[in-house]
Amino acid sequence: MRESSTHPQRSFDEWRDTIAPIFDVQSLAPNDDSGFHAELSRHHLGMALVGHVATTAQRYERSESLIGAVGVDHLLIQLYEIGHTVLDLGKREAQASPGDVLVFDLSRPVRSHASDMRAISLVLPRSLLNLDGNALDQAHGAVLSGRDPLGQLAGDHLRAMHRAVPTLDTRSAPAVAKASAQLLAACLSPSLMRDQEAPATMTATVAKICRFIDLRIGDPTLDARTLCSAFGLSRSALYRLFAPTGGVLEYIRRRRLARARLSLNASTLARGGIKKLARQFGFSSDEAFSRSFRSEFGISPREAAQQRLLMATNPNDDSLTNWMQRLIW
């Protein structure tokens, strides 16, 4: 179902509460009450969110603990219309200027320092983009320059999406979201693959294997032998394909944790819930699941569930959390 929500100008405190499920923010305005403002509109397309945001200068952070507590397995793609931002991605920095398209992987940590800005935003499930696992890992912090043809194409598409969504027919929304994902993947792919030597046939195979893994993620027997049999590959060939992502077993582990985290955020953790989640996503035991979860996100599954409950103590049907978690993927 297509839904819309438009909000008037907000103070910093209101904005901080609104954006808290996605980013921790700190205003750079001289006075939070009088110097800061933010405006947000958004449209829900079932498989995607399209929005428009304008704020004064701020710092924002998406930490491992926030990812663990309020995780979504989606990409945030923004077209900067006004303003600049500098991203701290840990081992590197990225910058975006007016006309550039910037990609955030919301399952990854980031810090940013942004000037007064205005941007069009699109949120899509990672699974909609026909990219292999390594390319998706490289997408975090990717910038499509507004001076380049593919960046211009991506930017023009985001502008067209933003113009069209208020009157878009509900029945058309899922197909439009899928088509948008494919167009943006095509725009991103050359820059993500620029430093890789793998031929197109190899990356297409990895993309198929990644989709297979997501479909079988709860199967505890999912391993290298299963994948070799399903795709007619030798072990050495499979290992070479997944070497850029840390290995095939590491990729399966991270995808299991990501899916478990999403399930944890979408439901209340009842008695025995940790063991149920562990079994549902192919972990050998609840102890192994809890150890892996803490290693990945810095908190335990139970602590993540408690943080989720704290955020839901004053539920708001129009909250950004609810909108994000209702995305179909």
Side-chain angles (χ1 to χ4, degrees), residues 232-289:
L233 296 169
S234 67
R235 281 182 178 266
S236 59
L238 179 68
Y239 292 158
R240 283 197 300 272
L241 289 175
F242 281 85
T245 63
V248 64
L249 296 182
E250 175 63 13
Y251 179 82
I252 292 173
R253 186 190 72 87
R254 293 203 318 267
R255 291 305 298 153
R256 281 177 167 155
L257 287 170
R259 294 288 297 277
R261 186 193 60 223
L262 289 174
S263 181
L264 181 65
N265 292 332
S267 61
T268 302
L269 191 63
R271 186 173 182 179
I274 299 295
K275 184 174 293 186
K276 182 179 179 181
L277 274 179
R279 185 169 60 251
Q280 181 180 351
F281 293 103
F283 288 90
S284 59
S285 68
D286 52 336
E287 291 85 0
F289 169 55

Side-chain angles (χ1 to χ4, degrees), residues 10 12-25 61-63 66-67 69-70 311 320-321:
R10 299 179 179 201
F12 174 68
D13 287 342
E14 292 172 318
W15 174 248
R16 181 180 56 198
D17 292 342
T18 297
I19 206 71
I22 309 301
F23 295 112
D24 293 319
V25 296
E61 178 181 3
R62 185 160 176 82
S63 63
L66 182 57
I67 293 168
V70 188
M311 292 183 177
L320 189 56
T321 305

